[in-house]
Amino acid sequence: VNYVGVATGNVIANLRNDRLKWETTTKFTAGLEFALLHDRLGIGLDVYRHQTDDLLNLRQASILSGQGYYLANSGSLRNIGFEAQVNAKLIAKKDFKWNLGLSLNRYRNEITDLPEGEFVTDILGAHVLSRKGQAAGVFYGYKTAGVFSTSQEAAAANLKVRNEDTSLSSFTAGDVHFLEPNAAYADGIIDENDRTIIGNPNPDLTGALATRWQWRRWDLDVKCTFQVGGDIYNYQRSQLESMSTLYNQSRNVLNRWRGEGQATSVP
């Protein structure tokens, strides 16, 4: 059906998988709790180890299927971490009470098994790598060293890209300076072999600070959460600074390279 110039109809959204099943997680947790100073100070510590099997993940579908990915069970994941809590009753009067609490959490996960081997998943333009021995969800892509300011810099790097017709094109001034971190593939041609792990979304530490004030029949609760570490894929910048679509772009693209010798981080 053609409606207002747009073709509409039913299409296959995914591939059926009769073998699909729930993930299975085995958990081990141990904890300690202390109460000190007549229950005015409480301390708690929990450690855990979780093993998840039959991981649900998106696998690359055959080109003959007409689909990009399909959902399947494959692999195992291990999570190890701890949670520490400190709670204090700073003021405990008849009409006024003040409690303060702090919690800290840290975990590390690792993919322990991938029977069908590693794979890369495209999520909103970002590439996520699943590889045995690595954390879940790591970003996979190219490392860079800025933008070539001059033609001389580009010529010195002597980097090329292979076109669809197998010919080679050289990088020039104003292009991104890609790196070749894999020594085995340092051939001067930037391709998929030069991709590497460039980010980890898993935080180093998370936590929360909570406080409660009680005055007679009135309560006020405030809770602040925080995270230390962990990389984030900036989808907004990928759309508003790519200069490759008809979308409006951010002001940062005004700093793009325009002439020989210009120093900028925008190609």
Side-chain angles (χ1 to χ4, degrees):
V1 180
N2 190 298
Y3 179 70
V4 209
V6 178
T8 61
N10 293 328
V11 296
I12 298 176
N14 52 44
L15 298 176
R16 180 177 177 179
N17 185 354
D18 293 330
R19 299 181 180 180
L20 206 60
K21 59 183 178 180
W22 293 105
E23 296 178 340
T24 303
T25 301
T26 303
K27 300 182 178 182
F28 171 78
T29 305
L32 292 172
E33 291 187 358
F34 299 93
L36 307 172
L37 304 176
H38 303 287
D39 204 28
R40 295 287 295 272
L41 180 65
I43 301 174
L45 176 65
D46 294 299
V47 295
Y48 59 86
R49 184 183 189 276
H50 298 171
Q51 180 71 31
T52 301
D53 298 312
D54 298 320
L55 282 176
L56 288 170
N57 50 62
L58 292 173
R59 302 305 303 259
Q60 185 74 43
S62 168
I63 191 173
L64 299 178
S65 69
Q67 300 295 307
Y69 297 94
Y70 68 96
L71 197 60
N73 295 97
S74 178
S76 301
L77 176 71
R78 180 173 60 237
N79 277 285
I80 299 175
F82 74 85
E83 179 177 358
Q85 296 180 341
V86 178
N87 296 290
K89 299 178 181 178
L90 300 179
I91 299 177
K93 301 294 185 180
K94 180 180 179 181
D95 293 333
F96 182 68
K97 296 179 176 63
W98 180 19
N99 297 339
L100 185 66
L102 174 67
S103 65
L104 297 174
N105 307 273
R106 178 181 173 87
Y107 73 88
R108 283 290 178 269
N109 62 37
E110 179 184 345
I111 297 174
T112 56
D113 186 33
L114 281 178
E116 298 180 30
E118 65 180 57
F119 58 92
V120 178
T121 306
D122 186 351
I123 303 177
L124 295 175
H127 294 98
V128 174
L129 173 68
S130 296
R131 173 184 289 171
K132 182 178 179 181
Q134 293 292 338
V138 293
F139 299 121
Y140 195 57
Y142 298 92
K143 285 189 174 182
T144 64
V147 174
F148 290 121
S149 175
T150 65
S151 300
Q152 184 178 2
E153 288 181 10
N158 194 28
L159 296 176
K160 297 178 175 62
V161 63
R162 192 177 299 280
N163 303 310
E164 292 185 358
D165 62 359
T166 72
S167 64
L168 297 176
S169 295
S170 298
F171 284 78
T172 62
D175 289 335
V176 176
H177 183 180
F178 291 101
L179 301 177
E180 297 181 288
N182 304 316
Y185 299 102
D187 54 2
I189 299 176
I190 301 299
D191 54 24
E192 291 187 353
N193 293 321
D194 298 307
R195 293 187 297 177
T196 187
I197 295 174
I198 58 175
N200 187 340
N202 300 285
D204 298 323
L205 188 71
T206 61
L209 181 64
T211 185
R212 166 177 284 188
W213 291 280
Q214 293 177 288
W215 180 68
R216 295 184 179 178
R217 300 176 63 181
W218 296 86
D219 293 351
L220 176 62
D221 291 282
V222 178
K223 184 176 182 180
C224 302
T225 60
F226 61 90
Q227 173 180 314
V228 179
D231 298 304
I232 298 175
Y233 170 55
N234 196 329
Y235 175 76
Q236 184 175 5
R237 285 193 64 192
S238 75
Q239 298 300 304
L240 300 184
E241 296 183 14
S242 68
M243 295 177 285
S244 60
T245 68
L246 296 179
Y247 299 155
N248 289 331
Q249 301 290 280
S250 74
R251 290 182 178 273
N252 193 43
V253 303
L254 297 176
N255 299 318
R256 66 189 181 278
W257 186 92
R258 299 185 183 185
E260 190 77 14
Q262 179 185 351
T264 179
S265 60
V266 185

